[in-house]
Amino acid sequence: MAEGDAVAAARAEQVALLTRIEERLRWLSSWTVHNANNIRAKRDGLKVGGHQASCASMTAIMTALYFHALRPQDKVAVKPHAGPVLHAIHYLLSEQTREKLERFRGLGGVQSYPSRTKDTIPIDFSTGSVGLGVAVTAFSSLVQDYLVAHGQLAEADTGRMIALMGDAELDEGNIYECLIEGYKHDLRNCWWIVDYNRQSLDATTADRMFRRFDDIFETCGWRVVTLKHGRLQREAFQRPGGRALEDWIANCPNADFAVLTYLGGAAWRERLERDLAGVRGVKELLADHDDAALARLMTNLGGHCIETLLDAFDAATGDQPTLFIAYTVKGYGLPLAGHKDNHSGMMNTAQIEGLRAELGIQPGEEWDKWAGLGDNLAARLEALVKDSPIARKAPEHRAPAVPVPDRLPVPEGAVLSTQAAFGKVLYDLAKSDAALADRIVTTAPDVTQTTNLGAFVNQRGLFRRQELADVFQKAKIPSAQKWSAHTAGQHIELGIAEHNFFLLLTSLGLAAPHFGTRLLPVGTVYDPFIARGLDALNYGCYQDARFLLVGTPSGITLAGEGGAHQSINTPLIGMGQPGLESFEPAFADEVALLMRWAFDHMQADGGSSVYLRLTTRQIEQQPRTDDSWEAGAIAGAYWLRPPLPGAKAAIAYSGAVAPEALAAWEELQDDLPGLGLLAVTSPDRLHRDWSAARAARWQGGARTPSHIETLLGELAPDAGLVTVLDGSPAALSWLGGVKGHRISPLGTDRFGQTGDLPDLYRTYRLDTHAIIDAAAELFLA
């Protein structure tokens, strides 16, 4: 046999085996969903859900990728609705259990969508909120380049960052924000594979959109590979009448194609005979196919043809980012194929039984990996699976911790803002030779200067894969920015899109498990605009990425900027967001203490990301006689002015309103003997600790008083509390429920406006007089 013939025979054998695996993945994913909805007992009577059709449109793509193209160092974000296919792949790899599949969407079972933290199989990226799992791969590629440039990852160990996406995800704006940022940073080693089935939840997608996607992606430097036709179609196009058939497919509206797919071979025949009547060769071409064969031919799109997919993946060499547009049929191979309701639709019992019989699977063998295939074929498939590169994927890394100094220097100055203190702490680190400084990576969505990162960047430089000279500096034009860009730089410059900002923080915060090198990302953003990227922030926290988020400036304290720039609800975001510990310090020494704690906590088992809500308001610093306050500040609160035992009142404040709280304390202490002043550095940590202590009652643990219970226990049972912060009053008003104290909460619950600080604090009742009035209300009512 000639060498070329041997290669062709080997490829044909590979295609045949992979086709069998594709069938098995289609079955296992369908059966997993069917079992959860129709066989497993439902105590609540609710639909469990799942997406059989969305899985079926991806099985060939995922077969070709996972069992041929994927390398051990590659990382994949899987389309959320194709989660059951991913678990079926790992079931074939013996990395997923039948028990977990049987409990799909049940407690302790396979999650609805791939989850790094909740599923037990190897998952590179959590997905769920569409579009985010796609864009994050681009930023992970950038992080990989950063590590290579800093000598922390060998070029030979780099992989492709791959996203498997539904075509409806291309409607997500964060996709295009990411494209622009990727172009600026010379993105490489990134594949996005589109399951182009042209059906979304509500509708069939607009015709010929693929050409627009070509334009957009090619403009941003991507290679675009369109896989429209499978081998059967390409062969048919070479026959007489084939060119007319190809043109007809190209011009067939998406909705018509879906309808004909659902109706089957007879409908295809009737339509084609009518539309192509009189075209030479078409009648004979159609006559050579019975209805079943004609349906197979017409749905033999590139995304369902294993051979076409293998050739495309093999040809995509080099590191240019690549978009594969793989034409598919939603529900391919299922009786749901093409139906407009198939997104959430499911096969009924008769339909799943028909699919089982078609695949030769006997009743009772539904969970067997290779049921109905015979011992010899099963052995060959098992060998192919075990020999695939993905089977040799190493477990995720456990990167060693970066040493954190016992203390970070407290910035000097009698009057400082917390934002300025943050910048000074980072600058001192940048000038040092501490190992911690070398692992800090900073970023900001076009607010580097105005959030006090500038000094760090001046010292450590911008990261660029190609050196970029500062032309202002070369021209000797004076500027506070001395931002040279080079491979050793430690600041990644971003445009103003907050989604990109949070996705980059996510990717940087996953460097330890993904690449074996721990980075300590620090990102700054105007505090109100956290809400603009909130979905992406939640996405990063959900998969346990670790970073330090600094929201600054914050509150109506940012007086002159007006309501659009004055954050109100961000303290509640910090309290409500899992995987994020939030703080609002008032003084520079609190900032240094909490930053040091954050760098340690970001690396700890059971740790998390950390959020600091800071301000530009300069306030007089507090003298300290000792460090006894520090443990309380980390726990969430400490007595800045301790109450006398059994005191009848206390003022509790957070952040920028410290001067007003202090002034009110000074004026009220004669009228309210023993008055306490509580510095609340973290409503978030206080509330979590209190909730955990209460939960111990019904979780069988010992009931240990929480930190806030201990602090407020120093007051009389009938004491009154005035709470105040530059944010939603709800962030502190819950303190009254800890010991049943009367409460008078102050804060902002309206959009702000322009003005100077005295006017705004008076208008929104945050000034000293408001605090005194609130105390009077408690005791005079």
Side-chain angles (χ1 to χ4, degrees):
M1 182 183 292
E3 182 179 350
D5 293 337
V7 171
R11 175 56 71 113
E13 168 76 1
Q14 182 188 29
V15 169
L17 292 176
L18 289 175
T19 299
R20 292 291 194 170
I21 290 176
E22 184 275 329
E23 292 174 351
R24 196 54 36 153
L25 295 179
R26 189 168 4 121
W27 165 255
L28 285 170
S29 57
S30 295
W31 182 253
T32 296
V33 176
H34 179 81
N35 177 77
N37 286 275
N38 297 286
I39 298 176
R40 193 173 73 210
K42 289 196 282 287
R43 294 176 297 174
D44 53 16
L46 297 176
K47 174 184 174 181
V48 176
H51 300 84
Q52 291 172 329
S54 293
C55 288
S57 67
M58 284 290 289
T59 48
I61 294 170
M62 294 179 71
T63 297
L65 181 68
Y66 275 84
F67 295 110
H68 174 72
L70 207 61
R71 303 170 301 182
Q73 66 269 36
D74 295 340
K75 299 184 184 355
V76 187
V78 175
K79 183 180 82 167
H81 294 154
V85 182
L86 177 65
H87 289 279
I89 287 171
H90 286 278
Y91 185 64
L92 296 184
L93 288 163
S94 298
E95 294 175 346
Q96 182 57 280
T97 67
R98 171 177 169 174
E99 179 190 20
K100 293 276 188 182
L101 292 179
E102 287 180 326
R103 297 167 70 185
F104 171 63
R105 294 195 172 198
L107 186 62
V110 165
Q111 296 295 300
S112 308
Y113 309 119
S115 171
R116 285 182 52 82
T117 56
K118 298 182 184 300
D119 281 314
T120 53
I121 63 170
I123 289 179
D124 299 315
F125 303 97
S126 298
T127 53
S129 185
V130 293
L132 297 179
V134 178
V136 76
T137 58
F139 291 104
S140 290
S141 178
L142 175 59
V143 171
Q144 182 175 246
D145 284 342
Y146 179 95
L147 293 171
V148 169
H150 285 76
Q152 294 162 342
L153 182 69
E155 182 73 42
D157 294 332
T158 59
R160 294 170 300 211
M161 305 296 120
I162 302 171
L164 299 171
M165 60 192 294
D167 54 351
E169 292 190 80
L170 287 166
D171 289 341
E172 290 285 349
N174 62 275
I175 296 284
Y176 304 98
E177 293 175 349
C178 163
L179 272 183
I180 295 168
E181 202 62 61
Y183 181 76
K184 289 191 289 188
H185 286 279
D186 194 18
L187 177 67
R188 62 184 189 134
N189 289 322
C190 191
W191 282 9
W192 290 356
I193 305 171
V194 182
D195 167 18
Y196 196 58
N197 60 49
R198 291 148 292 149
Q199 282 185 263
S200 61
L201 176 59
D202 288 337
T204 303
T205 57
D207 295 326
R208 292 186 293 279
M209 276 303 297
F210 74 95
R211 185 58 247 173
R212 302 285 72 76
F213 298 140
D214 284 7
D215 293 344
I216 294 167
F217 278 80
E218 287 170 353
T219 298
C220 290
W222 287 60
R223 167 175 51 197
V224 179
V225 179
T226 301
L227 309 177
K228 189 166 188 178
H229 304 291
R231 182 177 60 82
L232 292 179
Q233 286 192 356
R234 295 195 303 272
E235 289 176 350
F237 297 158
Q238 301 305 309
R239 295 182 52 177
R243 172 59 68 87
L245 180 63
E246 182 178 9
D247 290 344
W248 185 93
I249 292 173
N251 292 295
C252 179
N254 290 337
D256 287 9
F257 196 94
V259 167
L260 292 168
T261 296
Y262 181 72
L263 293 174
W268 281 114
R269 188 179 306 280
E270 180 185 356
R271 178 68 177 269
L272 292 170
E273 286 178 344
R274 184 178 74 237
D275 288 359
L276 300 178
V279 177
R280 188 176 65 85
V282 170
K283 183 177 180 180
E284 292 77 11
L285 193 159
L286 296 178
D288 285 347
H289 296 77
D290 61 20
D291 284 350
L294 183 58
R296 282 195 299 273
L297 172 65
M298 296 306 292
T299 57
N300 178 237
L301 303 179
H304 297 307
C305 179
I306 295 292
E307 184 176 349
T308 299
L309 289 161
L310 297 183
D311 290 344
F313 292 156
D314 288 346
T317 56
D319 61 9
Q320 183 181 7
T322 302
L323 177 75
F324 297 91
I325 302 177
Y327 275 70
T328 61
V329 171
K330 195 163 188 172
Y332 178 78
L334 306 181
L336 307 172
H339 197 288
K340 70 174 184 176
D341 297 336
N342 66 12
H343 181 85
S344 299
M346 296 181 197
M347 288 180 280
N348 59 35
T349 299
Q351 290 172 326
I352 198 81
E353 288 296 322
L355 180 62
R356 182 181 58 73
E358 179 185 326
L359 296 175
I361 299 170
Q362 298 300 311
E365 297 180 350
E366 291 87 355
W367 294 108
D368 292 0
K369 289 182 183 180
W370 314 114
L373 296 180
D375 293 343
N376 289 337
L377 179 56
R380 289 158 60 200
L381 292 171
E382 187 72 21
L384 186 153
V385 167
K386 288 184 176 178
D387 192 47
S388 59
I390 191 62
R392 299 189 292 275
K393 188 180 179 80
E396 285 199 330
H397 303 275
R398 289 191 60 85
V402 178
V404 178
D406 291 338
R407 305 187 77 83
L408 296 180
V410 176
E412 296 180 355
V415 178
L416 280 174
S417 70
T418 51
Q419 178 178 299
F422 159 75
K424 288 176 179 290
V425 170
L426 271 188
Y427 179 57
D428 286 342
L429 277 170
K431 293 188 297 180
S432 75
D433 58 0
L436 171 64
D438 294 334
R439 297 298 180 89
I440 290 174
V441 186
T442 60
T443 189
D446 199 37
V447 291
T448 300
Q449 302 175 66
T450 49
T451 55
N452 273 46
L453 280 180
F456 180 89
V457 180
N458 281 347
Q459 194 70 28
R460 292 281 175 155
L462 291 167
F463 169 69
R464 290 278 184 178
R465 283 177 48 222
Q466 289 82 31
E467 188 165 344
L468 186 66
D470 184 339
V471 294
F472 281 83
Q473 190 175 15
K474 288 184 69 174
K476 298 182 179 179
I477 297 173
S479 170
Q481 301 176 40
K482 299 176 176 61
W483 295 0
S484 57
H486 45 75
T487 56
Q490 289 178 234
H491 177 79
I492 299 178
E493 190 176 22
L494 292 176
I496 203 167
E498 281 80 9
H499 265 89
N500 285 343
F501 168 71
F502 283 115
L503 289 173
L504 176 57
L505 284 179
T506 296
S507 295
L508 290 164
L510 290 173
H514 276 173
F515 304 111
T517 296
R518 192 179 298 276
L519 297 175
L520 295 168
V522 178
T524 59
V525 62
Y526 287 178
D527 194 62
F529 301 142
I530 285 176
R532 290 174 61 169
L534 193 53
D535 192 16
L537 169 61
N538 181 68
Y539 173 73
C541 292
Y542 177 70
Q543 54 189 324
D544 199 27
R546 306 290 181 84
F547 48 82
L548 175 58
L549 167 65
V550 178
T552 184
S554 64
I556 65 169
T557 302
L558 189 60
E561 294 289 340
H565 281 62
Q566 296 168 357
S567 56
I568 296 169
N569 66 336
T570 46
L572 299 180
I573 291 173
M575 292 181 69
Q577 178 61 58
L580 187 71
E581 301 275 2
S582 68
F583 294 88
E584 186 163 0
F587 303 111
D589 54 2
E590 293 175 351
V591 171
L593 173 75
L594 296 175
M595 287 180 68
R596 190 264 164 215
W597 180 87
F599 289 131
D600 199 43
H601 184 71
M602 287 157 60
Q603 305 182 69
D605 291 339
S608 70
S609 292
V610 179
Y611 161 37
L612 300 181
R613 186 176 191 249
L614 306 182
T615 175
T616 50
R617 186 187 187 192
Q618 297 197 39
I619 65 175
E620 186 176 343
Q621 301 300 294
Q622 285 294 296
R624 309 285 191 183
T625 58
D626 55 40
D627 59 8
S628 59
W629 60 275
E630 293 183 344
I634 292 170
Y638 65 95
W639 288 112
L640 186 65
R641 299 291 185 267
L644 294 178
K648 292 286 190 176
I651 300 169
Y653 75 89
S654 280
V657 294
E660 283 68 31
L662 273 163
W665 180 87
E666 293 280 357
E667 290 197 33
L668 287 170
Q669 60 177 324
D670 289 338
D671 296 325
L672 297 172
L675 176 68
L677 181 60
L678 187 67
V680 179
T681 53
S682 177
D684 174 32
R685 284 177 64 79
L686 286 184
H687 192 272
R688 290 176 201 250
D689 180 42
W690 179 53
S691 296
R694 290 169 60 82
R697 291 173 176 163
W698 57 84
Q699 292 176 347
R703 177 66 166 93
T704 304
S706 63
H707 181 57
I708 189 60
E709 288 175 297
T710 301
L711 290 171
L712 296 183
E714 299 182 36
L715 303 176
D718 60 345
L721 287 175
V722 176
T723 62
V724 57
L725 77 161
D726 188 352
S728 171
L732 292 178
S733 63
W734 61 272
L735 291 176
V738 174
K739 288 288 189 178
H741 291 133
R742 289 171 295 152
I743 188 82
S744 185
L746 300 176
T748 56
D749 55 10
R750 293 173 288 156
F751 290 113
Q753 56 186 299
T754 56
D756 65 12
L757 207 56
D759 278 346
L760 292 188
Y761 270 25
R762 184 184 66 254
T763 301
Y764 292 93
R765 290 185 51 77
L766 294 179
D767 63 2
T768 300
H769 292 301
I771 298 172
I772 293 171
D773 287 346
E777 178 186 41
L778 285 174
F779 295 102
L780 297 180

